[in-house]
């Protein structure tokens, strides 16, 4: 008989006082993944002391599970806290024990301080919320701090910077576990941006005025629907009804990258999705995502993933194995 599928178990550790936003992210994203009609993830929120748990918003949450939940987890995710410079010894010990057992460990926002205190980040790349980056560098000088990225993975350890970067890290985990097609569908269901590269900067230097915060949204959507076409910067600007210079400034302010950098990332993500979910020849994959030729496809996929397109397809093909909840109730 075939082995019965078991969902991937994620233990979300909530330090005190915990960020409610950090706790909402895993539930929002992981709950939308299904495999063969069954949940792809089982998420358990736990704390050093089960029961009422203070939050950074002034409310108390009831957390029924203690840190014993960590021992059964495939992934441990440490949420951010309003007291980042006071690592909880019991959480530190639980994380250290999980790491010794080979468990994948991740943190959101200031949760990185718990991982650093456990010694997991020594000699490794890591990040945290930019406002606390220098404090992390000072307290843990052996950490190779990447202070201006959204998230970073070094071996089995992943750290995300603040706020919405936690969404990017969780989508990255979904992509790692279930493939790019599933991760991008989850992003669409959650009404968030598709999977962004971890090396994207945490913040921009020229933010848009509040009333123009979504000025390029229509153009981004139009570009996503036309990735098979050789879109130019001038065409993007024409669709947006502005000059190339204005489009570039607005686009960077909204997405953190230039229009062409964003477009290339989306083309590669579409290529990965096609490699995972179709048997199209490489030249057809290249044309469908706008990368032109099989040679160009190969160069970009190798640079992004370290694998050739054929090797990527062999390793991550999801044909007939995964699906995503798409009902209105799941969204």
């Amino acid at each position: 008989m075939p082995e019965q599928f078991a969902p991937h178990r994620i233990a979300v550790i909530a330090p005190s006082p915990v960020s409610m936003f950090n706790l909402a992210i895993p539930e929002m994203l992981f709950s939308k993944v299904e495999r063969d009609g069954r949940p792809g993830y089982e998420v358990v929120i736990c704390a050093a002391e089960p029961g009422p748990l203070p939050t950074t918003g002034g409310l108390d949450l009831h957390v029924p599970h203690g840190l014993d939940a960590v021992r059964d987890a495939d992934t441990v995710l440490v949420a951010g806290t309003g007291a980042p410079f006071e690592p909880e010894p019991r959480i530190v010990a639980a994380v250290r024990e999980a790491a010794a057992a080979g468990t994948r460990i991740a943190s959101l926002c200031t949760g990185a301080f718990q991982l650093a205190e456990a010694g997991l980040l020594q000699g490794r790349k890591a990040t945290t919320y930019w406002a606390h980056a220098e404090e992390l560098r000072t307290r843990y000088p052996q950490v190779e701090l990447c202070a201006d990225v959204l998230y970073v993975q070094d071996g089995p350890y992943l750290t995300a910077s603040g706020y919405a970067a936690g969404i990017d890290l969780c989508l990255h985990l979904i992509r790692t576990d279930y493939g790019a097609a599933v991760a991008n569908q989850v992003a669409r269901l959650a009404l968030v941006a598709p999977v962004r590269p971890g090396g994207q900067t945490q913040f921009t230097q020229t933010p848009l005025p509040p009333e123009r915060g979504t000025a390029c949204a229509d153009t981004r959507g139009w570009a996503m629907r036309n990735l098979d076409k050789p879109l130019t910067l001038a065409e993007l600007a024409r669709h947006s009804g502005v000059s190339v210079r204005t489009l570039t400034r607005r686009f960077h302010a909204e997405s953190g990258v230039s229009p062409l950098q964003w477009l290339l990332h989306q083309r590669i993500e579409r290529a990965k999705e096609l490699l995972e979910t179709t048997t199209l020849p490489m030249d057809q994959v290249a044309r469908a995502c706008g990368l032109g030729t099989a040679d160009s496809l190969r160069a970009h996929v190798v640079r992004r993933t370290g694998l050739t397109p054929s090797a990527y397809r062999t390793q991550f093909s999801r044909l007939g194995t995964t699906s995503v909840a798409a009902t209105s109730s799941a969204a």
Side-chain angles (χ1 to χ4, degrees), residues 136-222:
L136 184 70
R137 191 195 308 274
T138 300
R139 288 172 178 263
Y140 306 102
Q142 300 305 314
V143 175
E144 188 177 338
L145 183 65
C146 303
D148 62 346
V149 301
L150 293 175
Y151 62 89
V152 61
Q153 177 169 4
D154 193 329
Y157 308 129
L158 304 93
T159 50
S161 57
Y163 297 100
I167 296 174
D168 296 298
L169 182 139
C170 288
L171 288 173
H172 172 72
L173 291 175
I174 294 171
R175 180 176 60 188
T176 300
D177 296 336
Y178 292 101
V182 173
N184 287 333
Q185 177 68 357
V186 168
R188 287 191 288 271
L189 289 172
L191 301 179
V192 298
V195 183
R196 295 189 290 178
Q200 187 169 317
T201 55
Q202 290 187 30
F203 52 89
T204 62
Q205 299 300 322
T206 53
L208 292 177
E211 68 273 15
R212 301 303 296 272
T214 58
C216 298
D218 287 344
T219 297
R220 286 196 296 270
W222 172 78

Side-chain angles (χ1 to χ4, degrees), residues 16-31:
S16 177
V18 69
S19 163
M20 290 190 295
F21 184 60
N22 276 194
L23 292 184
I25 290 171
E27 190 282 328
M28 175 180 70
L29 298 177
F30 294 130
S31 66

Side-chain angles (χ1 to χ4, degrees), residues 63 77 89 101 112 118 134 136 143 149 154 157 168 175 188 197 201 215 227 231-232 238 250 256 308 311 324 327:
V63 180
L77 184 61
E134 284 307 313
L136 184 70
V143 175
V149 301
D154 193 329
Y157 308 129
D168 296 298
R175 180 176 60 188
R188 287 191 288 271
T201 55
L227 288 177
L231 302 176
T232 65
R238 186 159 50 249
R250 290 179 178 175
T308 65
V324 179
T327 64

Side-chain angles (χ1 to χ4, degrees), residues 223 226-231 259-275 281-305 307-309 312:
N226 291 276
L227 288 177
D228 59 322
K229 298 179 176 61
L231 302 176
L260 294 184
Q261 286 175 319
W262 177 88
L263 186 60
L264 177 60
H265 175 71
Q266 301 307 328
R267 292 191 192 284
I268 297 171
E269 287 301 308
R270 177 66 58 81
K272 290 164 62 179
E273 183 172 335
L274 291 173
L275 290 171
M282 297 306 169
D283 58 342
Q284 292 186 32
V285 172
R287 289 196 297 271
C289 62
L291 290 175
T293 66
D295 287 342
S296 176
L297 170 71
R298 177 187 175 90
H300 286 296
V301 172
V302 168
R303 187 176 301 117
R304 178 65 58 84
T305 70
L307 299 172
T308 65
Y312 184 90

